[in-house]
Amino acid sequence: MKNGKFGMAALSMLTVLAMAAAGCGGNEAKPPGSPAPSSEAPAPASPSAEETGGASSGIDWEARKAANQAAGEILYSTGYYYAASSPDVQTVMADELGYFEELGLKVRIQPGLDSQGMKFLAAGQAQISSAGNPSLVITSVDSGAEIKGVATFGSVGVNALMVLEESDIHSPKDLIGKTLGYKGAIPSWVISMLASEGVARDQIKAVSVGYDPRILDGKKLDALTVYKTNEPNMMEKAGIKVRLIDPGEFGGETSFGVVAVNAKFAADHPTAIEDFLRALSKAHQYALEHPEETLKVLEARSASGYDLEAETNRWAVESQLVQEHLHEGRGVAWQADVQWQREMDMLVDAEVIQEPIPLDRVMDNSYIDAIYEGTELIWPE
């Protein structure tokens, strides 16, 4: 197995910290060994799916492979080091299993945070990156980045409100007069949840808290913003019984596991983006069928402490969310306009961005459309 050069801290307690940091930015760091501009003559334009036969058995795979090789090295920046989250799981396994190589792609994986990944994409230092949700891409575009989301693995969110099992809080209106804990900034999906039941922001007490979910005691803190993939498992291990309130039931639905690209690179090398997604789709199925092997690969690529138990739980929860909410008649990671529009609307309502951005500036389904016939992945025979 291939070993990575970058490690990560133990994840069981720090996952939320890094993900929260990813959602609100972080210190910028340059990716080591960023590809230098080529001194060679410009490569011929990459043949698109239509030019090579489209979604049919008539694809000229050798022409695509040549075009992908001409695109040069692709730097992929992960969303949270080697955590077992989409699309990082799929990218690592596509690399490990040789799927990229089979399609003529040269991919280098750089572990990091998605907030940094957006900056690398905007600067042209990375070509593809993980983004935790559409909102991160949208806010980056709003800040001037020329990037787009080309696939989204989770069509529902991983966010939730967590309360103690015996709590009398069951919906947003029950938060009136109560104290809600959040990390960093109040998420836009929380504001949408409150609005769905006519609750004004000043009717609840919202406080910034730390990253240990055991602060949820039902006395000083009544509810806490969490990830379904992390804190509930931590509370269970601590012997504390909790319930989750799903934002999707109260107008706060989100998505997760976005593949974001540098827009110019994607336009110049469409087959490289299509075939990168093609490799991820194939790797996704492998990871579903071989979860233990997949987690071992991720662990091996981390140079320092890796909480295998916590990451196993993360992948179990995430992969279930992905599989249970696939779009009808579509392959994995296909994204609907509504997923992006609802997050756009929440960001506007929360005054994170001033006005909506046209969807074609933040997302593009042409690449993911090109790799499927219905739900069936098109792969070289």
Side-chain angles (χ1 to χ4, degrees):
M1 293 182 182
K2 304 176 184 178
N3 291 320
K5 296 182 180 179
F6 294 75
M8 72 175 165
L11 293 173
S12 61
M13 294 300 295
L14 295 182
T15 298
V16 182
L17 171 60
M19 287 186 170
C24 58
N27 293 329
E28 184 169 351
K30 285 188 177 181
S34 297
S38 174
S39 60
E40 299 177 0
S46 300
S48 67
E50 292 182 0
E51 291 168 341
T52 55
S56 73
S57 58
I59 293 176
D60 184 343
W61 294 106
E62 289 304 313
R64 293 180 71 89
K65 187 172 181 178
N68 293 343
Q69 291 169 341
E73 182 179 77
I74 293 172
L75 179 63
Y76 174 85
S77 182
T78 70
Y80 181 48
Y81 301 98
Y82 285 114
S85 189
S86 300
D88 297 339
V89 168
Q90 294 83 353
T91 301
V92 168
M93 291 309 295
D95 184 43
E96 188 75 21
L97 297 167
Y99 296 160
F100 291 139
E101 184 177 3
E102 185 174 348
L103 296 170
L105 296 168
K106 184 179 181 181
V107 177
R108 177 161 62 93
I109 299 173
Q110 175 180 286
L113 302 177
D114 59 358
S115 57
Q116 293 178 330
M118 299 305 98
K119 296 174 185 177
F120 295 155
L121 287 181
Q125 294 174 319
Q127 290 68 49
I128 306 177
S129 177
S130 167
N133 49 53
S135 291
L136 182 57
V137 176
I138 294 168
T139 54
S140 297
V141 172
D142 187 64
S143 296
E146 296 288 337
I147 66 177
K148 291 185 178 182
V150 296
T152 303
F153 277 87
S155 64
V156 296
V158 291
N159 308 106
L161 290 183
M162 185 170 72
V163 298
L164 295 177
E165 186 177 60
E166 66 271 17
S167 170
D168 60 358
I169 299 173
H170 296 275
S171 71
K173 67 178 183 295
D174 298 328
L175 287 169
I176 295 175
K178 302 292 178 64
T179 302
L180 168 68
Y182 64 89
K183 295 94 174 171
I186 300 177
S188 57
W189 54 265
V190 169
I191 296 174
S192 294
M193 287 183 70
L194 296 175
S196 74
E197 294 201 329
V199 180
R201 167 68 180 79
D202 60 5
Q203 288 182 283
I204 69 167
K205 182 180 180 181
V207 296
S208 180
V209 298
Y211 300 95
D212 185 344
R214 291 173 297 180
I215 59 176
L216 179 64
D217 60 3
K219 298 174 183 177
K220 293 182 179 180
L221 195 67
D222 301 294
L224 182 66
T225 62
V226 299
Y227 292 95
K228 300 171 185 175
T229 55
N230 190 48
E231 290 93 339
N233 181 55
M234 295 169 67
M235 295 293 268
E236 181 179 354
K237 290 169 65 175
I240 303 172
K241 294 183 179 181
V242 296
R243 287 186 289 107
L244 296 182
I245 300 174
D246 197 320
E249 298 178 6
F250 301 97
E253 190 66 274
T254 56
S255 300
F256 70 91
V258 177
V259 179
V261 301
N262 174 281
K264 185 179 186 306
F265 179 84
D268 290 345
H269 305 286
T271 61
I273 300 301
E274 292 167 6
D275 290 346
F276 185 92
L277 297 178
R278 195 185 309 275
L280 263 58
S281 178
K282 189 172 180 68
H284 176 76
Q285 188 60 40
Y286 188 93
L288 290 178
E289 297 171 357
H290 305 88
E292 292 184 7
E293 177 187 342
T294 296
L295 270 294
K296 287 292 186 181
V297 170
L298 292 165
E299 181 182 35
R301 292 209 177 191
S302 175
S304 61
Y306 196 84
D307 191 334
L308 186 59
E309 182 181 355
E311 294 311 308
T312 298
N313 173 75
R314 187 194 312 281
W315 177 240
V317 175
E318 261 205 25
S319 59
Q320 183 175 359
L321 288 172
V322 171
Q323 293 305 112
E324 289 184 352
H325 298 278
L326 294 171
H327 293 283
E328 185 175 358
R330 302 286 188 174
V332 69
W334 188 86
Q335 55 189 10
D337 288 2
V338 66
Q339 292 172 245
W340 288 74
Q341 190 62 58
R342 69 193 179 201
E343 294 205 31
M344 183 89 68
D345 294 341
M346 282 191 280
L347 291 170
V348 173
D349 292 343
E351 300 182 348
V352 176
I353 62 176
Q354 295 303 306
E355 58 185 12
I357 303 169
L359 286 183
D360 62 5
R361 284 189 54 204
V362 298
M363 55 96 74
D364 187 342
N365 260 4
S366 63
Y367 305 101
I368 194 76
D369 282 340
I371 73 171
Y372 291 112
E373 284 183 341
T375 61
E376 183 179 355
L377 178 67
I378 304 166
W379 191 263
E381 296 181 358

